[in-house]
Amino acid sequence: MPYDEIQSAELTEEATDALADAVADRLAGKADWRTPRRTIFEDEGGIRSKPGQKGSAAFYGGDDVYTLTGRDDAERATNLHLAQTMIEVPDPRSGRPERWASDRLREVMVGAAEKALSGPSRSFPAYKDLADSRRLEVDPDGFATKAMAEWRTAARQARAKAMTSTGAGAGDEWVPTFAASELWNDIHFATIVAPAMRRVQMPTNPFDLPSQTASVTWKYASSENTAVTATDPTTAKEVLSAKKLMAEVDYSSETEEDSIVAATPAIRADLVRSGAQAIDDLLVHGDTETGATGNVNSDDAAPVAGDQFLALNGLRKYCLVTNTGQVSNLAGAVSSTNFNTLRALLGKYGARASDLVIITGGSTFVSMNTITEVITPDKYGAGATILAGELARFFGIPILLSEAIPLLTSDKVAADGKADSATPANNTTGWLVLVNRRMWTIGFRRELRLEAWRDIKKDQSVLVASFRQAQIPASVSVLHTAVARNATV
């Protein structure tokens, strides 16, 4: 039969089936050579096994190591299923999973991508030598290697322009650039007062901390084989209740279009500085009083709802309002004499300098640099303020600075120790807190969260940072904290 007639010949359906059966019979006993039986999944264009992989359900992919993660299709499918399970978040209303990664997982994934982008471009081998002496072409003309290099360059340029990540155009592009976990670490490193106190992570809110209202009593065992009087435990609990603090940064589209990356370092630095100050300010100056008088930061006017210091009560409030017996009226400049009067208010909680910290404003600190006992080398040695330029410790107690009273640009307060926000001219005196740092606990229910969205009406994007903080004094006594007021500065 001529060749063109052979090419145009057609087999009937019966002949095709007969030919297929004959070939199958010839290959009987050689299951690995036979085409797998068709299934409903194949008929519907779904998943199917590859020849030579018995029992492997799978996704079709390449046979080389550059395709998917896994030794075979079954393992790759398993890995993909595990990855999907990791990012599923249940819908609180329906209980059905949504395909959204958690904040932490997204941060890890984006961090890994950024690390990959920062490294050298990957080179694919031209050939891969197989165990049976065959050579497999991988990238003989260098196309894949060149494409990878070009993609990485384009990706870096895109990040330099728009901080790309997930949710392009929705504002989420910025979140990975600020790296929440690293930013949170930097905020903690920048805090001055908070590191001196006990800090805990809160698994729940509220979170109960076990405590005792009295210490164990030790007795002299005067006779052998005789029990001493036992100490009855006086257990209690201290409750940490976290409050949320938030900050918002708005970007205009013009800022994005003119390379937002140039503004990122300055904004990130400000988030670190202001976040650290918020944590410290809440610990030192926090006061939940919202009335027209009485708040230690605004004694002559009601604070504005949303003022950061309204979240929790802090060190100054603890003495100036709650425990007024722990306040010393200096009525003069800080000296060794009136400082020891303040220290005496702490009783046994002020015995060890290693347990104490001094917290004060810049004005009081500057005045302390001229105290007679610390200014010259003959009295204070190499640490004399005239040589060192500043006083790091007083009576061996570290001095920590609080920048300013909330709502004011100054650290000064009125003579009663409270600040007048409506009439700042009344604020002419200094203050000082002396505290046993083991007697306060700071808790964090949630570390820093960064979220972003786009406001099309204003043609701007919004970056929101938030965390949840709690703080409490020990309930064993009220003597562990004292405040000096009316200091001449």
Side-chain angles (χ1 to χ4, degrees):
M1 180 180 292
Y3 179 78
D4 56 345
E5 294 183 16
I6 294 175
Q7 290 292 91
S8 60
E10 295 184 0
L11 294 175
T12 64
E13 184 175 344
E14 293 79 5
T16 301
D17 290 340
L19 182 60
D21 291 340
V23 173
D25 291 340
R26 291 246 181 161
L27 296 177
K30 300 179 181 179
D32 287 344
W33 291 3
R34 288 181 294 174
T35 301
R37 295 178 60 85
R38 292 177 63 84
T39 67
I40 186 173
F41 298 106
E42 286 185 293
D43 291 337
E44 295 178 0
I47 300 171
R48 54 182 176 177
S49 298
K50 292 169 62 178
Q53 291 186 338
K54 293 186 294 183
S56 296
F59 295 80
Y60 253 83
D63 290 320
D64 58 88
V65 297
Y66 305 103
T67 313
L68 295 172
T69 301
R71 290 169 295 183
D72 56 32
D73 284 345
E75 186 171 321
R76 292 170 187 144
T78 300
N79 291 340
L80 289 172
H81 171 73
L82 291 174
Q84 172 183 304
T85 303
M86 288 172 63
I87 68 173
E88 286 181 350
V89 178
D91 186 325
R93 293 168 297 181
S94 66
R96 293 191 298 270
E98 298 176 345
R99 299 301 191 268
W100 297 103
S102 66
D103 292 342
R104 178 58 180 157
L105 180 58
R106 289 177 58 195
E107 182 181 323
V108 170
M109 294 171 68
V110 172
E114 289 181 332
K115 184 176 181 180
L117 282 176
S118 64
S121 180
R122 184 177 184 179
S123 296
F124 292 85
Y127 303 92
K128 177 184 177 182
D129 293 324
L130 304 179
D132 57 1
S133 300
R134 290 185 300 152
R135 169 167 284 191
L136 176 67
E137 290 187 350
V138 177
D139 190 22
D141 57 359
F143 174 83
T145 298
K146 294 175 184 176
M148 177 65 73
E150 292 173 358
W151 174 80
R152 291 168 66 86
T153 299
R156 280 193 289 263
Q157 291 174 346
R159 288 192 62 79
K161 179 65 178 176
M163 302 181 190
T164 55
S165 174
T166 58
D172 283 345
E173 304 85 45
W174 302 339
V175 174
T177 300
F178 286 93
S181 62
E182 294 178 12
L183 184 60
W184 185 236
N185 286 336
D186 289 345
I187 287 175
H188 276 295
F189 289 146
T191 54
I192 296 175
V193 181
M197 309 299 174
R198 177 190 180 194
R199 290 193 282 185
V200 299
Q201 293 295 330
M202 299 170 58
T204 61
N205 188 47
F207 178 54
D208 295 341
L209 289 174
S211 64
Q212 287 183 266
T213 57
S215 299
V216 173
T217 301
W218 289 77
K219 300 287 186 178
Y220 165 48
S222 57
S223 302
E224 294 182 7
N225 302 318
T226 301
V228 299
T229 303
T231 301
D232 294 330
T234 53
T235 58
K237 67 178 181 180
E238 296 164 358
V239 182
L240 283 166
S241 296
K243 305 298 181 182
K244 182 164 58 177
L245 278 75
M246 301 180 67
E248 178 181 319
V249 180
D250 298 340
Y251 290 89
S252 67
S253 290
E254 288 79 6
T255 304
E256 290 184 75
E257 294 161 358
D258 296 337
S259 185
I260 194 171
V261 171
T264 299
I267 295 172
R268 191 185 191 283
D270 189 54
L271 280 173
V272 169
R273 184 199 60 78
S274 60
Q277 185 172 344
I279 294 173
D280 281 352
D281 280 357
L282 198 53
L283 177 59
V284 179
H285 307 292
D287 189 346
T288 59
E289 176 58 55
T290 58
T293 60
N295 192 294
V296 298
N297 307 295
S298 183
D299 194 25
D300 60 344
V304 178
D307 281 339
Q308 167 255 316
F309 58 83
L310 291 173
L312 297 164
N313 290 320
L315 298 170
R316 291 176 56 231
K317 164 75 175 282
Y318 185 77
C319 298
L320 293 172
V321 177
T322 310
N323 303 292
T324 55
Q326 291 302 103
V327 180
S328 176
N329 180 9
L330 297 188
V334 178
S335 66
S336 59
T337 300
N338 58 28
F339 177 81
N340 282 328
T341 299
L342 175 70
R343 185 173 181 176
L345 294 178
L346 271 61
K348 68 178 183 180
Y349 298 101
R352 298 180 182 178
S354 59
D355 290 343
L356 306 177
V357 291
I358 299 168
I359 306 165
T360 188
S363 300
T364 306
F365 174 70
V366 170
S367 71
M368 291 177 68
N369 285 322
T370 61
I371 294 174
T372 303
E373 292 87 348
V374 303
I375 193 170
T376 57
D378 61 311
K379 295 184 178 180
Y380 204 70
T385 57
I386 198 169
L387 297 177
E390 62 179 2
L391 182 63
R393 292 173 178 266
F394 195 45
F395 285 96
I397 305 171
I399 301 174
L400 308 177
L401 292 182
S402 177
E403 294 180 7
I405 299 294
L407 304 182
L408 301 178
T409 58
S410 169
D411 62 287
K412 297 178 183 179
V413 296
D416 62 357
K418 300 176 184 178
D420 292 342
S421 62
T423 51
N426 294 340
N427 304 314
T428 59
T429 66
W431 57 275
L432 184 149
V433 175
L434 181 63
V435 57
N436 187 309
R437 60 189 182 87
R438 302 183 186 279
M439 295 292 108
W440 282 77
T441 302
I442 304 176
F444 292 97
R445 178 65 182 95
R446 188 188 70 217
E447 296 184 351
L448 190 69
R449 173 185 292 173
L450 290 171
E451 298 175 292
W453 64 284
R454 183 150 191 87
D455 186 344
I456 60 174
K457 292 183 179 180
K458 296 181 179 179
D459 192 24
Q460 69 176 194
S461 296
V462 179
L463 178 70
V464 177
S466 65
F467 62 89
R468 298 173 68 188
Q469 177 178 336
Q471 60 196 37
I472 52 171
S475 59
V476 65
S477 172
V478 301
L479 301 180
H480 49 68
T481 307
V483 166
R485 64 176 179 85
N486 197 20
T488 301
V489 292

